[in-house]
Amino acid sequence: MKKLSLLLLFTFLWVSCDQKQKKIINKKGLSSEEKIDSTKIKTLFNSALTQSKSYEWLRDLTQNIGGRLSGSPEAQKAVEWGKKVMKEVGLDSVWLQPVMVPHWVRGEKEIANYTSNGIKKNVPICALGFSVATPKAGILAEVIEVKSLDEARALGNKMKGKIIFFNRSFDNTLINTFKAYGGCVDQRVRGAAVCGEFGAKGVIVRSMTNSVDDYPHTGTMSYGNLPKEKYIPAAAISSRAANVLSDDLKLNPNLKFHFKQSCKTLPDAPSFNVVGEIKGTETPENIFVVGGHLDSWDLGEGAHDDGTGVVQSLEVAYLFKKNNIKPKNTLRVVFFMNEENGTRGAKKYAELAKLNKENHIGGLESDAGGHTPRGFSIDANSVNTKLLQSWKKLLSPYGLHDLDKGGSGADISPLRGENVTLVGYRPDSQRYFDYHHTSRDTFDKVNKRELELGSASMASIIYLMDKYLYSNTMVKP
């Protein structure tokens, strides 16, 4: 009898909890239109997770072409590849947009070493993009370690004839690793310009990463307004080597560092953005663009940066066609050229859009790797921002909880305007800077399911933007 009473009590409590939960669900329930949207989004995810093309596209791009630095033969092969896969998807039209791009080449593999306490140590380094070469024999000089551009400036003429070692590491207390990157990257970009002014012999910069490893991270740098005769070679050293060098400098402040690199900048080269579109059924004059950048650094295969963004962008169009979703507005897919060292493709695209009086009402960029989806950043007016944030109940079941105001992406930001809604795809950032701009950025580092979830996430928000943005917030031109 006692057992029966306990069973009845448990059943009563379970039913009560279930009814309360149903009330909560009903209270937060979806409208009839939202139910349609929820079903459509589920269909997009189902298709991406069972019939995706993105992973095999990425395999082909990265392993059969590889690193695709602007102006290189590999970049041209990628352009031809992009045009081919867009046509295979069956976009209404596909074309190439000519653009002149910078052409910097790395040359022979870089060499660096120093001797401390009688032990010669080889150091993993790589030249920074746009750096000049060292003399053929390399450079050899004493090292001064600094943590910031201001600390370097304070040295003034003490820098003359020295190698300046920038050793500011990521702030690993920041959860968003892109913020940590933003807090350090100025030393890579402007270090040589600051130190060259005072006659430094060269610059070495700690690699931009959370990890402590032996992989140097390249990236672009600039001499700013420095006259050419003051240009000095700049290289990145691996984070582990940076730690070891810092320790050795404490023991032997007068040690001499040697490095050699043979990079150079050639004349600008012809290249292309690759563009394809699905014409809108109601207002084809209004355009949503979705894209990533086709170029990459030369050390790896350009998988996470930005092969994943390219294939996910095309898969948005593929998923629309696969599920017979006909956009009201024109959906345009763009593979931008030269994001890594110039953003010439982005600037050319925006220039031609203005010249042709095209009406871009929104855009989405994927250039943060192919890891697990977390959400989107929104660069829009307050009305449109609130509208996108109202879709959280539709997107959060798929792990898309972050819908925060912020930037969008380097390639679509030139399209910014008061009534243009730009969005950046934001996957989990914790592993991204393990691979960013290194020889480790290869196809095998990309998880198939994470990549596909990203494609579906992007297709879902484009579906919602296409359906609601114009009718709710846009003024027809």
Side-chain angles (χ1 to χ4, degrees):
M1 187 68 181
K2 186 176 181 181
K3 287 182 179 178
L4 180 62
S5 298
L6 287 171
L7 180 61
L8 290 170
L9 178 62
F10 174 79
T11 303
F12 172 75
L13 291 171
W14 184 84
V15 170
S16 298
C17 288
D18 186 53
Q19 288 175 339
K20 285 180 181 178
Q21 186 63 31
K22 285 179 178 177
K23 285 180 181 178
I24 291 171
I25 291 171
N26 290 335
K27 189 175 181 181
K28 294 183 178 179
L30 303 175
S31 68
S32 58
E33 201 61 35
E34 286 172 333
K35 287 177 182 176
I36 293 170
D37 296 335
S38 179
T39 300
K40 193 69 74 175
I41 289 169
K42 178 60 175 169
T43 300
L44 288 169
F45 272 86
N46 288 351
S47 297
L49 293 170
T50 58
Q51 301 174 74
S52 171
K53 299 281 189 181
S54 58
Y55 194 65
E56 291 308 315
W57 287 335
L58 184 64
R59 185 197 302 274
D60 191 19
L61 175 64
T62 56
Q63 301 206 310
N64 291 331
I65 298 176
R68 309 168 295 280
L69 194 55
S70 291
S72 69
E74 292 79 13
Q76 179 56 32
K77 287 179 183 177
V79 167
E80 294 163 6
W81 171 89
K83 185 177 180 181
K84 175 177 71 75
V85 292
M86 281 191 185
K87 286 186 173 181
E88 287 173 354
V89 167
L91 303 186
D92 294 338
S93 54
V94 177
W95 68 97
L96 301 181
Q97 251 180 16
V99 57
M100 296 298 291
V101 298
H103 190 191
W104 178 85
V105 293
R106 183 171 303 281
E108 297 175 3
K109 184 172 175 56
E110 304 88 342
I111 295 171
N113 52 65
Y114 65 92
T115 299
S116 180
N117 292 330
I119 301 171
K120 184 177 180 180
K121 298 183 180 182
N122 293 319
V123 179
I125 71 161
C126 66
L128 295 178
F130 289 132
S131 174
V132 296
T134 62
K136 286 187 178 180
I139 59 175
L140 178 69
E142 291 183 358
V143 178
I144 301 177
E145 180 180 352
V146 296
K147 301 288 187 182
S148 68
L149 295 175
D150 286 342
E151 192 177 339
R153 287 190 190 97
L155 290 171
N157 291 326
K158 292 178 183 177
M159 288 192 269
K160 189 170 184 178
K162 302 292 196 300
I163 292 173
I164 307 305
F165 168 35
F166 286 93
N167 192 29
R168 182 163 83 256
S169 58
F170 273 26
D171 180 354
N172 279 331
T173 66
L174 296 173
I175 304 304
N176 184 336
T177 62
F178 281 88
K179 290 184 178 178
Y181 175 76
C184 289
V185 75
D186 64 339
Q187 60 191 336
R188 188 196 78 199
V189 176
R190 293 189 282 137
V194 168
C195 300
E197 179 66 35
F198 294 96
K201 208 166 186 179
V203 162
I204 53 176
V205 183
R206 183 189 184 95
S207 286
M208 302 290 110
T209 179
N210 302 88
S211 301
V212 177
D213 58 35
D214 295 316
Y215 298 93
H217 294 232
T218 192
T220 195
M221 54 79 64
S222 170
Y223 292 106
N225 296 320
L226 205 64
K228 283 192 176 181
E229 61 270 19
K230 291 189 175 184
Y231 285 12
I232 57 175
I237 73 170
S238 73
S239 53
R240 180 173 285 124
N243 288 346
V244 174
L245 176 59
S246 182
D247 290 342
D248 285 341
L249 283 168
K250 291 178 179 67
L251 297 172
N252 181 9
N254 299 315
L255 71 79
K256 291 188 175 181
F257 190 95
H258 169 260
F259 77 101
K260 183 172 77 168
Q261 57 193 38
S262 58
C263 47
K264 59 183 175 180
T265 300
L266 301 174
D268 285 358
S271 192
F272 303 90
N273 293 326
V274 187
V275 186
E277 67 181 22
I278 300 173
K279 274 291 184 190
T281 57
E282 295 181 20
T283 49
E285 68 277 10
N286 295 329
I287 301 167
F288 281 104
V289 62
V290 56
H293 65 86
L294 192 54
D295 64 304
S296 77
W297 286 105
D298 54 318
L299 296 178
E301 295 173 355
H304 278 292
D305 188 19
D306 184 32
T308 54
V310 163
V311 299
Q312 286 172 329
S313 297
L314 182 56
E315 191 144 76
V316 171
Y318 167 77
L319 291 172
F320 270 48
K321 291 185 73 67
K322 189 76 179 174
N323 293 285
N324 199 32
I325 299 173
K326 300 183 186 300
K328 295 192 304 179
N329 308 285
T330 292
L331 174 60
R332 185 175 289 177
V333 179
V334 183
F335 297 168
F336 294 95
M337 181 57 69
N338 183 232
E339 186 275 344
E340 291 293 1
N341 59 347
T343 61
R344 298 269 189 93
K347 291 168 185 171
K348 175 58 71 172
Y349 182 87
E351 175 193 321
L352 291 174
K354 185 176 181 180
L355 182 67
N356 296 326
K357 295 182 169 53
E358 293 178 339
N359 188 42
H360 284 75
I361 61 173
L364 169 63
E365 182 170 339
S366 174
D367 185 19
H371 295 114
T372 302
R374 294 286 183 242
F376 303 93
S377 58
I378 306 166
D379 182 2
N381 62 40
S382 58
V383 174
N384 291 4
T385 297
K386 287 177 182 176
L387 177 64
L388 267 66
Q389 289 173 336
S390 74
W391 300 334
K392 187 170 183 177
K393 56 186 170 182
L394 291 168
L395 299 172
S396 60
Y398 303 95
L400 301 167
H401 298 286
D402 299 335
L403 291 168
D404 303 318
K405 195 164 181 62
S408 55
D411 283 318
I412 63 173
S413 59
L415 299 171
R416 185 180 290 118
E418 176 59 25
N419 287 320
V420 182
T421 298
L422 302 179
V423 177
Y425 169 58
R426 296 292 174 249
D428 185 88
S429 71
Q430 305 313 314
R431 290 170 285 160
Y432 183 66
F433 290 100
D434 293 350
Y435 312 123
H436 181 253
H437 295 184
T438 73
S439 60
R440 298 182 70 200
D441 187 12
T442 50
F443 174 72
D444 59 296
K445 306 303 188 306
V446 177
N447 177 273
K448 181 176 183 289
R449 186 171 176 85
E450 288 179 318
L451 181 70
E452 293 164 351
L453 286 168
S455 298
S457 300
M458 291 168 60
S460 297
I461 200 162
I462 285 291
Y463 161 78
L464 292 169
M465 289 169 72
D466 176 69
K467 183 174 179 179
Y468 292 110
L469 264 181
Y470 177 81
S471 60
N472 281 286
T473 63
M474 298 296 169
V475 177
K476 190 170 181 177

